[in-house]
Amino acid sequence: MELLDHQEWVKYIPAAAYITDQEGAIVYYNTAAAKLWGRTPVLGQDRWTGAFKHYTKEGLLLTADDSPMARAILQGKETVSEELVLERPDGTKCLILPHIKLLFTREGTPAGAVNILVDQTSVKQSEERYHQMIAEIEDYAILLLDVQGVIKNWNTGAEKIKGYKEEEIVGQNFRVFYTEKDRNARLPERLIAEAAAKGKAIHEGWRQRKDGTLFWGSVVITALHDELGEVVGFSKVTRDLTARQISEEKLKRYSQDLEFQNRELQQFAYAAAHDMKEPLRKLRYYNSILVESMEGRLTEKEAKYLRRSTEAAARMQQLIDDLLSYSRASSQGGAFGPVDLGEVIVDATASFQDTIDEKMATVEIAAMPVLPGIAFQLRQLFENLIGNSLKYSDPQRAPVIRISCGRSKGVPEGLAADGEDPVEYCKIEITDNGIGFEREQAAKIFDIFQRLDNRDMFPGTGIGLAICKRVVQNHKGFILADGQPGKGSRFTIYLPNVLESFGPEADS
């Protein structure tokens, strides 16, 4: 009989499978079917199914004559089967999906059917766990939309974030979450159109809760497709980032206010310093006239007071000039452009030529690169550093100043924030053999008006190195100081974005 021919391939099917004849008697079953049923059927006696009991998913008990196998054979057509609950003799249950294929003899006469039972239990349990997990997530609003944007389901996070209960919102269009302005601009429609076309749409903006209050939502809409690749709906995940957005807006306003106040303060400082220069100039001038006209007639005490007055005015003049320089360095005014550091350093050195000749100093300058910067600020930087080395030279030996340069892949640990270190830095070192300083003083040497203990006998305002730090910061770089008393100082500068290659790579 032809039914016996089918036994050969049915027994190799990994899923549960069995065969009945046209009267419904089971004529063959494989091991997987017996395991699924939890019993061994009697061939030729058990009809339609080997299961102990069958139920619909709604819990309705089915007789063997109501089973999908019976209906398919008796009606002579392979109907689309639905999932059934199978109960074993020990009381355990599983969810199965029958797949029935009618069998015929070579002459075309109906001969029975083969039924392949797919165990859906683990799949169903996974789906239930997944849906339960989605439903219980509170930090994200997760919902399903149809192709028109109508809401099909709702999780706990959606209720928490948006304020609607599931029975209130399911069936409404997701446009309800958008502000009137966004609805008029058809933003919801544009987002699902983008998701349909590109597979995903991402957007951030103000969204509306049930009570009308707004929250800042970060939204990801993902297109869902059927087996033919057609869009059948969308998943929509929303996260409430209101706290972050408010913090960012506060920080932005604070930065704008600070920038405005800083600009106003710079303008005030510049104007005040500029207006003070003329009275000081007159004071120095009148003092000199008085000294000349009263020569020989002043007492020693009177001459001392006039001299001190003139010196005080000179120091005030120098302080004002330094404050004006610091104010200009604090402003990032001036367009960035290619700057030849070699030319800048040579020009800065030339401004000290008289002092260099007087002290018989040596200034050695290595090859320098071209990098983007503000030329006059970089000249300020090197004028202050070279002037610093000449001023604090050891009177017992001729000053030697060396300015070297190399490439550096990064900066020392702790200077640049994570992820902000550019590919390459220009590393410049200015070393001297001057009086030096204690290493623990290196951290405060760049503070404005800060003067180190071993430098009180030298004239100065304590602003020069503060200008250096400000210029380097304006160029997104870093500056470090190191020294030893009696052995000299070293200043190391890291400037990013080198435009021309130069020299060997330096150790950072």
Side-chain angles (χ1 to χ4, degrees):
M1 183 177 177
E2 187 162 337
L3 287 177
L4 297 177
D5 297 335
H6 293 89
Q7 296 176 15
E8 291 302 316
W9 59 265
V10 169
K11 69 181 180 181
Y12 294 111
I13 296 175
Y18 67 100
I19 301 174
T20 70
D21 60 19
Q22 189 61 19
E23 283 70 40
I26 297 177
V27 296
Y28 179 80
Y29 60 91
N30 63 7
T31 303
K35 183 178 180 181
L36 181 68
W37 290 325
R39 62 180 293 271
T40 301
V42 179
L43 295 180
Q45 292 185 19
D46 282 273
R47 298 179 71 243
W48 308 122
T49 176
F52 176 64
K53 289 181 181 179
H54 274 120
Y55 300 89
T56 65
K57 287 199 298 183
E58 292 73 28
L60 179 64
L61 178 64
L62 298 175
T63 65
D65 292 338
D66 291 327
S67 68
M69 190 69 146
R71 293 199 305 271
I73 292 178
L74 295 175
Q75 294 175 11
K77 59 181 181 180
E78 299 165 353
T79 57
V80 177
S81 299
E82 296 182 354
E83 291 177 329
L84 299 174
V85 177
L86 181 151
E87 183 178 348
R88 302 181 181 93
D90 62 4
T92 59
K93 296 179 180 179
C94 61
L95 186 71
I96 61 167
L97 181 63
H99 293 271
I100 301 170
K101 183 70 176 176
L102 296 177
L103 302 176
F104 300 89
T105 64
R106 290 187 177 88
E107 292 76 24
T109 304
V114 59
N115 192 356
I116 299 175
L117 307 174
V118 178
D119 189 350
Q120 297 285 96
T121 307
S122 60
V123 175
K124 191 65 176 179
Q125 289 174 343
S126 297
E127 288 180 352
E128 289 176 353
R129 285 194 297 269
Y130 172 77
H131 289 299
Q132 183 179 12
M133 176 187 71
I134 295 297
E136 295 300 322
I137 291 176
E138 294 187 356
D139 294 334
Y140 294 83
I142 304 174
L143 51 149
L144 183 68
L145 310 176
D146 68 12
V147 292
Q148 304 300 324
V150 175
I151 300 163
K152 308 302 291 184
N153 70 2
W154 196 248
N155 77 327
T156 302
E159 180 178 335
K160 178 181 176 182
I161 293 173
K162 300 176 185 290
Y164 294 90
K165 293 189 177 297
E166 185 173 9
E167 59 270 18
E168 295 177 307
I169 197 66
V170 170
Q172 294 194 51
N173 194 285
F174 82 118
R175 285 171 53 86
V176 71
F177 307 133
Y178 289 77
T179 63
E180 183 178 359
K181 178 181 177 181
D182 286 341
R183 291 197 299 269
N184 291 338
R186 297 186 62 78
L187 177 60
E189 288 80 4
R190 288 190 282 114
L191 289 177
I192 60 173
E194 180 182 347
K198 299 180 180 180
K200 182 181 293 184
I202 301 174
H203 188 265
E204 284 194 12
W206 291 108
R207 300 291 182 264
Q208 194 165 278
R209 298 187 181 93
K210 177 186 175 182
D211 60 8
T213 59
L214 300 179
F215 70 95
W216 186 266
S218 175
V219 178
V220 180
I221 299 176
T222 305
L224 305 177
H225 302 84
D226 61 16
E227 61 274 8
L228 299 178
E230 298 293 327
V231 176
V232 294
F234 303 92
S235 67
K236 181 175 179 288
V237 180
T238 302
R239 188 178 181 189
D240 184 357
L241 297 180
T242 308
R244 188 206 69 180
Q245 182 65 16
I246 291 175
S247 296
E248 289 180 354
E249 290 184 352
K250 284 183 178 178
L251 182 61
K252 183 179 179 181
R253 287 195 299 271
Y254 175 77
S255 298
Q256 291 172 341
D257 291 344
L258 189 61
E259 183 180 355
F260 174 77
Q261 293 171 8
N262 189 46
R263 189 163 53 247
E264 291 286 300
L265 183 60
Q266 288 176 10
Q267 291 174 354
F268 172 78
Y270 184 84
H274 188 272
D275 291 344
M276 289 173 64
K277 292 179 70 173
E278 182 59 21
L280 282 172
R281 188 190 67 78
K282 289 181 178 179
L283 178 61
R284 296 179 67 187
Y285 174 72
Y286 293 147
N287 275 0
S288 65
I289 294 294
L290 184 60
V291 169
E292 290 176 6
S293 63
M294 299 290 289
E295 187 176 1
R297 289 181 289 168
L298 294 172
T299 66
E300 183 179 347
K301 189 174 184 180
E302 291 170 338
K304 181 178 69 173
Y305 286 156
L306 276 174
R307 186 172 61 254
R308 287 182 178 179
S309 175
T310 302
E311 290 172 353
R315 287 195 298 272
M316 180 62 73
Q317 181 71 57
Q318 183 62 52
L319 177 61
I320 290 171
D321 289 341
D322 288 347
L323 281 172
L324 288 173
S325 296
Y326 184 77
S327 178
R328 286 193 293 269
S330 296
S331 170
Q332 293 194 27
F336 273 65
V339 177
D340 187 327
L341 278 188
E343 292 181 3
V344 167
I345 295 173
V346 168
D347 289 345
T349 304
S351 65
F352 296 100
Q353 195 59 53
D354 290 343
T355 305
I356 291 172
D357 293 340
E358 178 187 342
K359 295 191 173 188
M360 294 184 291
T362 301
V363 182
E364 301 175 0
I365 305 172
M368 294 287 157
V370 174
L371 48 73
I374 303 172
F376 86 87
Q377 287 194 4
L378 291 173
R379 176 165 176 153
Q380 276 186 305
L381 168 66
F382 289 103
E383 280 183 350
N384 278 288
L385 290 173
I386 295 169
N388 190 78
S389 292
L390 290 171
K391 180 190 293 186
Y392 300 113
S393 59
D394 190 328
Q396 303 301 317
R397 54 178 180 259
V400 178
I401 303 170
R402 294 186 174 89
I403 306 175
S404 60
C405 188
R407 293 180 294 114
S408 176
K409 299 287 187 180
V411 295
E413 185 178 355
L415 289 183
D418 292 341
E420 294 183 0
D421 212 358
V423 174
E424 183 177 78
Y425 281 92
C426 167
K427 179 183 178 183
I428 305 163
E429 288 190 341
I430 298 95
T431 61
D432 63 52
N433 63 341
I435 63 171
F437 57 87
E438 297 288 350
R439 282 182 170 170
E440 55 266 24
Q441 295 180 311
K444 65 179 182 178
I445 198 171
F446 297 107
D447 294 344
I448 190 168
F449 302 127
Q450 181 66 57
R451 308 205 67 219
L452 304 186
D453 296 339
N454 67 339
R455 303 190 175 194
D456 287 341
M457 71 287 295
F458 296 89
T461 59
I463 296 178
L465 291 180
I467 292 174
C468 293
K469 181 178 180 181
R470 179 62 65 184
V471 169
V472 172
Q473 288 176 336
N474 287 349
H475 288 74
K476 310 300 181 186
F478 306 92
I479 184 169
L480 301 172
D482 190 22
Q484 284 184 273
K487 293 188 178 181
S489 305
R490 179 176 69 232
F491 292 90
T492 305
I493 302 166
Y494 294 88
L495 296 176
N497 304 319
V498 178
L499 297 180
E500 290 186 4
S501 179
F502 65 97
E505 184 171 333
D507 295 330
S508 60

